[in-house]
Amino acid sequence: MRILVITGTGTEVGKTVTTAAVAAAALAAGRSVAVLKAAQTGVRPDEPGDAAEVARLAGAVTTAELARYPEPLAPGTAARRAGMAPVRPQDVAEAAAKLATDHDLVLVEGAGGLLVRFDPAGGTLADAAQLLRAPVLVVASAGLGTLNTTELTARELRGRHLDLLGVVIGSWPPSPDLASRCNLTDLPDVSAAPLLGALPAGAATLPPTDFRTHAPSWLAPRLHGTWDAEGFRGREGA
């Protein structure tokens, strides 16, 4: 796996911190890593964006950002309102493929969910993944409502004949409720894909050295980690 596309089931599910954890675990395994942010919205030109946050947490990664739009909207809408050129799926695929020539792993982080539109033609991250023929990692929330959005995302990926690598819970609460505990079993069922990790809530607030030390313990071996789904379920009483 040279290129991995990372999407969320929606906004604020922990996509960026999960990207950082995957990057940190891969770096710890001795791989060179690049992080491509397809389109950054809602951030001023002088502010650090998601790619910079990944580098802050994970360490020595190459970062790239294709476009930045000032308003916190879907990239296509933000580009139109700003009078700026949109990002096209082909742009994302070309940039990721170029980074892959010099890195062992390229992480392509989307904006929002899988079908958030990049351009007036309706291009999405899913289209970029198809062009790249890259697997997709889905970041989901832990609690009530996540089963529906995760299953919808998984069905769309399979309908496009894309490889769903697995699901990661982007923020696992310190005191999980019944729905969250049950979702440890139900998320793999509804997505027909393995659960590949669970990041603790507040992981992004850890000092970067601590984040890098602990990141592999939050992710399954397929993501260069040591996390065990069955052991985690047993510990949480799922």
Side-chain angles (χ1 to χ4, degrees):
M1 179 176 64
R2 202 164 186 87
I3 299 175
L4 176 63
V5 174
I6 300 180
T7 190
T9 55
T11 59
E12 305 300 324
V13 295
K15 188 168 64 270
T16 297
V17 69
T18 298
T19 301
V22 174
L27 288 170
R31 304 190 74 187
S32 59
V33 180
V35 176
L36 174 64
K37 181 67 178 181
Q40 179 73 63
T41 65
V43 177
R44 297 194 310 267
D46 60 334
E47 286 184 307
D50 291 344
E53 175 68 356
V54 171
R56 182 186 74 82
L57 291 169
V61 300
T62 300
T63 61
E65 183 184 278
L66 291 186
R68 176 172 291 211
Y69 307 113
E71 294 179 315
L73 303 168
T77 304
R80 184 185 73 242
R81 285 178 53 84
M84 299 170 67
V87 172
R88 300 173 302 137
Q90 185 67 39
D91 301 329
V92 180
E94 289 174 358
K98 184 176 180 180
L99 288 167
T101 63
D102 298 317
H103 297 85
D104 299 322
L105 177 64
V106 178
L107 303 176
V108 181
E109 182 184 343
L114 181 68
L115 297 184
V116 169
R117 295 191 172 196
F118 285 162
D119 60 22
T124 67
L125 186 67
D127 296 315
Q130 284 182 302
L131 290 170
L132 289 163
R133 298 181 181 177
V136 179
L137 181 68
V138 172
V139 182
S141 57
L144 198 63
T146 195
L147 298 180
N148 179 62
T149 53
T150 302
E151 184 167 0
L152 287 171
T153 302
R155 286 190 182 190
E156 180 65 23
L157 288 168
R158 290 207 165 81
R160 291 170 176 259
H161 305 289
L162 286 166
D163 176 20
L164 172 52
L165 185 71
V167 177
V168 169
I169 296 173
S171 180
W172 183 255
S175 299
D177 60 14
L178 178 61
S180 296
R181 296 195 305 273
C182 289
N183 288 340
L184 291 174
T185 299
D186 293 339
L187 278 168
D189 184 34
V190 301
S191 65
L195 192 60
L196 294 181
L199 275 64
T205 65
L206 291 172
T209 53
D210 291 346
F211 183 93
R212 295 164 199 170
T213 297
H214 293 296
S217 70
W218 304 329
L219 300 169
R222 199 164 184 185
L223 295 172
H224 300 288
T226 60
W227 185 84
D228 174 63
E230 288 302 321
F232 191 79
R233 288 188 191 100
R235 192 188 80 191
E236 297 297 333

